[in-house]
Amino acid sequence: MSNHIDSMALMNRRKKVMGDHTPMFYDRPLHLVKGNDVWVVDAQGKYYLDVYNNVPHVGHCHPQVVDAICSQVSTLNLHTRYLHDNIVTYLEKLTSTFDASLDMAMLTCTGSEANELALRMARHVTGKQGIIVTDCAYHGNTEAVAELGTAFMNEAKSTRRVKSIPIPDIYWGHDKLSEDQLCDYYVHAVQSAIDEFEEEQIGFAGMLVCPDFANEGLLNLPRGFMNRAMSLVKQRGGLYIADEVQAGFGRSGHHWWAHQQFSITPDIVTMGKPMGNGHPIGGIVASGDLINPFSKSAMYFNTFGGNPVSCAAGMAVLQVIENQQLMSNAISTGQYVKKGLQALQTKHDAIGEVRDLGMFFGVELVQEGRPATQLARKVINQMRENGVLISTIGKTRSILKLRPAMTFQPRHGDILFEALDESLRQAGGY
Ligand SMILES: Cc1ncc(COP(=O)(O)O)c(C=O)c1O
């Protein structure tokens, strides 16, 4: 009880110093105090299964990552203007997970900074300004990146430098069109946006998308869309920028990077969130042909980006993914979770579709033939009460987003299925 009162008092103090509009999850705020692997614990000592947070990619407080950070922070922490083995060794290891043409990297502290840097580079190399995104995009919080944020950001409404295409979605796509026709329709939207940029003398610098279309709802794309759209982008002189802030670091299980499921290699890949398992590190990977001329003229330096402590954390994450074989776990446990969710779909009419990409799942909720936004909100709040953390995504926020740590196991899946079954019933989603 006293802990409960402490949480309420903390909430009031938070409002005073952070205001009413700083985003928070759940109708009833969750006051967390510790975490371990796929579990987090609240101030009352209640355990929650974390099926949402991808930042603790190899599990909350993984001992190898914690040790790597502690050991380096108690030895030396400066920045990339000094020669340091951690930085070079980490980047050699990181770039080895990419196509050979993507052989150099630059480090930042966040995914937003990584996307900002990618935009600067694309505009620098092409001499053009126009960037294409989807109409449900979120790529971060800096001023230039906010212009890309068609899902949430005011800047996106007034900019002339960004155009959006409809999300390439089969599920709600268009009743009367076949999959091939849908693909033509979305590729045509890319072509029209490029034409418009040119007519408006803004010029076309590139297209920036998450290859998993994670914020858009983990879409099932019309077959061939990415290869056709990105070939077109390159033909028309633009850069293909893959935002792997959510999708990367082996989450699909089959590839290190989500773009590797398609045959077109991006010009720039941006990353962040899981990179340091919670320690702030982000970055871009591209070819030396792009990075060298840009760095020569832009003199990019980031005081904290890629410091030896961050690189120690980043290296530990890559080692844990390999040593604990977390990519094969993403495939096997991912399949188990997918099947369990599909079994729930047979019981609950409200589950319209189950989507999966390794250890990443989207559950589309539908009622009366429409996206079930209110139901999704009720379900995630009910799940929280039932001890499992998930959230929503998509244009109408009617898709349940499940994106646990890569260490998630079938036994955790069983807890998830029981809670979701119960929560759907409690929320009225038979
Ligand atoms: C796809 C994507 N890109 C970029 C970002 C921004 O990353 P950060 O919050 O580290 O700046 C996010 C954050 O949610 C994201 O989902």
Side-chain angles (χ1 to χ4, degrees), residues 262-387:
F262 308 112
S263 57
I264 307 268
T265 303
D267 297 288
I268 307 177
V269 182
T270 66
M271 62 200 75
K273 287 184 191 282
M275 196 165 178
N277 215 48
H279 182 90
I281 174 168
I284 68 154
V285 168
S287 84
D289 294 343
L290 217 53
I291 289 190
N292 277 326
F294 172 76
S295 324
K296 190 172 172 204
S297 81
M299 207 299 288
Y300 184 82
F301 171 62
N302 188 320
T303 302
F304 299 117
N307 65 66
V309 173
S310 303
C311 289
M315 185 62 126
V317 169
L318 295 180
Q319 286 166 343
V320 174
I321 294 172
E322 282 181 349
N323 296 344
Q324 290 186 210
Q325 298 176 354
L326 294 183
M327 286 170 66
S328 57
N329 185 52
I331 297 174
S332 56
T333 303
Q335 279 301 309
Y336 184 85
V337 174
K338 175 188 175 177
K339 286 193 182 125
L341 294 172
Q342 284 172 335
L344 286 179
Q345 187 179 11
T346 62
K347 283 177 74 178
H348 295 275
D349 289 346
I351 300 184
E353 187 170 62
V354 172
R355 300 178 195 138
D356 69 299
L357 279 165
M359 199 67 92
F360 202 154
F361 315 91
V363 178
E364 177 92 47
L365 295 188
V366 184
Q367 276 180 322
E368 293 163 11
R370 285 200 296 274
T373 307
Q374 288 311 318
L375 175 65
R377 184 186 170 133
K378 280 191 202 159
V379 169
I380 62 166
N381 278 290
Q382 201 57 59
M383 288 288 277
R384 170 236 199 272
E385 300 302 332
N386 291 335

Side-chain angles (χ1 to χ4, degrees), residues 141-424:
N141 55 34
T142 66
E143 189 170 13
V145 175
E147 288 182 10
L148 311 175
T150 50
F152 310 105
M153 313 299 249
N154 279 331
E155 288 84 346
K157 293 183 192 130
S158 52
T159 180
R160 296 181 61 235
R161 303 197 292 178
V162 177
K163 291 189 191 294
S164 63
I165 59 151
I167 59 170
D169 177 22
I170 298 187
Y171 189 75
W172 293 107
H174 201 299
D175 284 351
K176 298 195 176 69
L177 299 184
S178 69
E179 190 171 336
D180 287 345
Q181 287 169 324
L182 263 181
C183 189
D184 289 345
Y185 169 76
Y186 294 123
V187 172
H188 187 257
V190 176
Q191 193 170 323
S192 303
I194 299 173
D195 291 343
E196 282 170 30
F197 275 137
E198 286 174 355
E199 279 156 27
E200 292 162 13
Q201 316 276 308
I202 289 166
F204 175 52
M207 180 154 171
L208 192 156
V209 286
C210 163
D212 274 354
F213 294 87
N215 288 326
E216 288 84 347
L218 208 68
L219 308 175
N220 281 327
L221 303 175
R223 223 178 4 257
F225 169 75
M226 278 299 273
N227 290 338
R228 283 182 58 193
M230 295 311 145
S231 305
L232 176 66
V233 163
K234 292 194 181 210
Q235 269 165 32
R236 299 287 297 264
L239 265 54
Y240 162 23
I241 305 168
D243 178 337
E244 296 255 8
V245 166
Q246 288 196 50
F249 291 95
R251 185 154 285 276
S252 78
H254 293 284
H255 308 279
W256 271 102
W257 304 97
H259 68 259
Q260 291 166 339
Q261 67 191 292
F262 308 112
S263 57
I264 307 268
T265 303
D267 297 288
I268 307 177
V269 182
T270 66
M271 62 200 75
K273 287 184 191 282
M275 196 165 178
N277 215 48
H279 182 90
I281 174 168
I284 68 154
V285 168
S287 84
D289 294 343
L290 217 53
I291 289 190
N292 277 326
F294 172 76
S295 324
K296 190 172 172 204
S297 81
M299 207 299 288
Y300 184 82
F301 171 62
N302 188 320
T303 302
F304 299 117
N307 65 66
V309 173
S310 303
C311 289
M315 185 62 126
V317 169
L318 295 180
Q319 286 166 343
V320 174
I321 294 172
E322 282 181 349
N323 296 344
Q324 290 186 210
Q325 298 176 354
L326 294 183
M327 286 170 66
S328 57
N329 185 52
I331 297 174
S332 56
T333 303
Q335 279 301 309
Y336 184 85
V337 174
K338 175 188 175 177
K339 286 193 182 125
L341 294 172
Q342 284 172 335
L344 286 179
Q345 187 179 11
T346 62
K347 283 177 74 178
H348 295 275
D349 289 346
I351 300 184
E353 187 170 62
V354 172
R355 300 178 195 138
D356 69 299
L357 279 165
M359 199 67 92
F360 202 154
F361 315 91
V363 178
E364 177 92 47
L365 295 188
V366 184
Q367 276 180 322
E368 293 163 11
R370 285 200 296 274
T373 307
Q374 288 311 318
L375 175 65
R377 184 186 170 133
K378 280 191 202 159
V379 169
I380 62 166
N381 278 290
Q382 201 57 59
M383 288 288 277
R384 170 236 199 272
E385 300 302 332
N386 291 335
V388 178
L389 305 184
I390 62 169
S391 189
T392 56
I393 35 170
K395 269 178 108 167
T396 48
R397 299 211 76 87
S398 53
I399 303 162
L400 305 180
K401 179 181 193 180
L402 292 79
R403 190 192 44 179
M406 296 281 283
T407 52
F408 202 74
Q409 297 295 317
R411 66 178 183 281
H412 304 128
D414 293 340
I415 299 170
L416 163 70
F417 307 146
E418 202 181 318
L420 187 53
D421 191 15
E422 184 62 14
S423 302
L424 276 162

Side-chain angles (χ1 to χ4, degrees), residues 2-32 43-44 384:
S2 77
N3 272 338
H4 183 55
I5 292 167
D6 287 351
S7 296
M8 281 168 56
L10 185 61
M11 187 63 205
N12 289 333
R13 283 169 48 212
R14 174 184 155 117
K15 281 191 176 172
K16 281 197 183 130
V17 286
M18 295 172 71
D20 289 334
H21 305 291
T22 313
M24 270 194 113
F25 281 133
Y26 307 117
D27 294 345
R28 206 162 65 80
L30 184 55
H31 179 185
L32 295 177
Q44 287 80 50
R384 170 236 199 272

